Amino acid sequence: MSDITVQITSSLTNSERRVSPNWTLKYFKQRLETITGIPPADQQLLLFTNSFSTEAKDLKASSPQGEESIILSQFNISSSARIQVNDTRPESDLKDLENDEGQFFELKDEDYEKRSDSIRKWKQENKLGRFDPSFTAKKKELKKLNESKAAELSVGSRFRTVNDKDGERRGTIRYVGKVPEIDGESIWAGVEFDEPVGKNNGSLKGVPYFKAKPNYGGFLKPAQIEQGDFPEESLFSDDDDDEI
């Protein structure tokens, strides 16, 4: 299944995140801790169908052990959904960051840097994200690899995905270049898939890069695709020649 973009909110955070329907509930909670600072065992997850909905569904397993066997697709989470992460700890340190109306305090960056209970401090102590000593080196290496792969790509050529968690996908390369709507530095490959396994129609945030039917377009890092003579192959094809 393709990733979906959902809104993640808590008393102190509000952001859009890409999640995989194949993640287990346990792994998803681990990822949420890096966003909200709330430990998995103390998270209450409420699913709203969209940002305006007032009716919520409690995302939970019958036991903590069961979280390893439940995957997010079982909750039928859509791309327009909002997931509220509540902190069930009555004496949580994070509650000190809220004011009486539940609104956010606006801290200057230098003041936030001094806090010992911030998510940034937690990432620093655990050497996560940009605080990982190898982060910069890995980022430069990946950028170099993508630029090298991008130089080999030709618009109009056929391709297939490699190391794709959603399985092999095929299609046609429609665009190669920078996409400021994603980031201002990386080079991306705009592709038209043979099947509706994409995320858009070739446009991002109203900016058209190529034309494709809804859910047939997508943007991949050049290192994710292999250019070559890959004919169209239906997702529903069966290599078994036996009659059904």
Side-chain angles (χ1 to χ4, degrees):
M1 293 184 179
S2 300
D3 289 357
I4 57 177
T5 300
V6 299
Q7 184 180 10
I8 302 295
T9 58
S10 71
S11 61
L12 296 173
T13 62
N14 186 338
S15 62
E16 287 191 342
R17 301 284 174 161
R18 291 177 61 185
V19 303
S20 170
N22 295 317
W23 286 352
T24 65
L25 182 58
K26 178 180 179 180
Y27 178 72
F28 182 46
K29 284 189 169 186
Q30 292 172 347
R31 295 290 295 264
L32 289 175
E33 182 179 10
T34 66
I35 301 171
T36 65
I38 304 172
D42 301 305
Q43 294 175 11
Q44 178 197 34
L45 306 187
L46 298 179
L47 171 64
F48 296 85
T49 54
N50 56 61
S51 58
F52 305 104
S53 176
T54 57
E55 296 185 4
K57 177 182 179 181
D58 202 347
L59 302 187
K60 63 181 180 179
S62 57
S63 66
Q65 292 75 19
E67 293 181 353
E68 297 182 5
S69 59
I70 293 180
I71 59 175
L72 296 187
S73 62
Q74 294 177 244
F75 296 111
N76 297 318
I77 303 174
S78 68
S79 58
S80 60
R82 177 173 72 89
I83 298 177
Q84 171 70 22
V85 187
N86 291 331
D87 191 342
T88 61
R89 296 172 295 176
E91 303 299 329
S92 170
D93 291 338
L94 295 179
K95 295 184 184 298
D96 292 338
L97 298 176
E98 300 178 25
N99 65 19
D100 293 336
E101 279 115 13
Q103 302 296 318
F104 305 149
F105 280 124
E106 292 188 7
L107 292 178
K108 294 182 179 179
D109 192 65
E110 55 267 29
D111 294 330
Y112 182 71
E113 184 67 37
K114 296 176 182 178
R115 297 194 68 96
S116 61
D117 56 356
S118 68
I119 296 175
R120 181 184 300 175
K121 181 64 67 175
W122 181 81
K123 288 185 175 182
Q124 286 177 329
E125 293 174 350
N126 290 276
K127 294 181 171 55
L128 297 174
R130 61 190 176 91
F131 300 110
D132 182 341
S134 61
F135 176 78
T136 301
K138 289 179 179 177
K139 187 175 180 180
K140 288 182 178 179
E141 182 180 350
L142 181 59
K143 182 180 180 181
K144 184 177 180 180
L145 174 62
N146 274 311
E147 290 177 346
S148 175
K149 289 286 186 179
E152 302 172 0
L153 303 182
S154 300
V155 173
S157 297
R158 295 285 299 172
F159 79 93
R160 68 178 179 184
T161 57
V162 294
N163 299 322
D164 192 340
K165 64 181 180 303
D166 296 317
E168 181 181 304
R169 293 179 289 174
R170 297 187 179 191
T172 304
I173 300 171
R174 298 300 187 193
Y175 172 83
V176 178
K178 292 186 177 181
V179 183
E181 289 73 27
I182 301 177
D183 66 59
E185 299 180 359
S186 305
I187 296 178
W188 294 82
V191 302
E192 181 180 8
F193 292 108
D194 294 335
E195 303 286 345
V197 292
K199 300 179 184 298
N200 52 61
N201 63 354
S203 299
L204 279 179
K205 297 181 179 179
V207 179
Y209 285 89
F210 59 93
K211 291 184 178 180
K213 292 184 291 186
N215 297 323
Y216 278 76
F219 292 87
L220 302 173
K221 292 181 179 178
Q224 292 177 277
I225 67 179
E226 178 183 359
Q227 181 175 263
D229 183 18
F230 302 112
E232 184 172 347
E233 189 176 75
S234 173
L235 287 174
F236 307 104
S237 64
D238 194 339
D239 294 332
D240 192 344
D241 293 331
D242 292 342
E243 183 177 348
I244 298 176

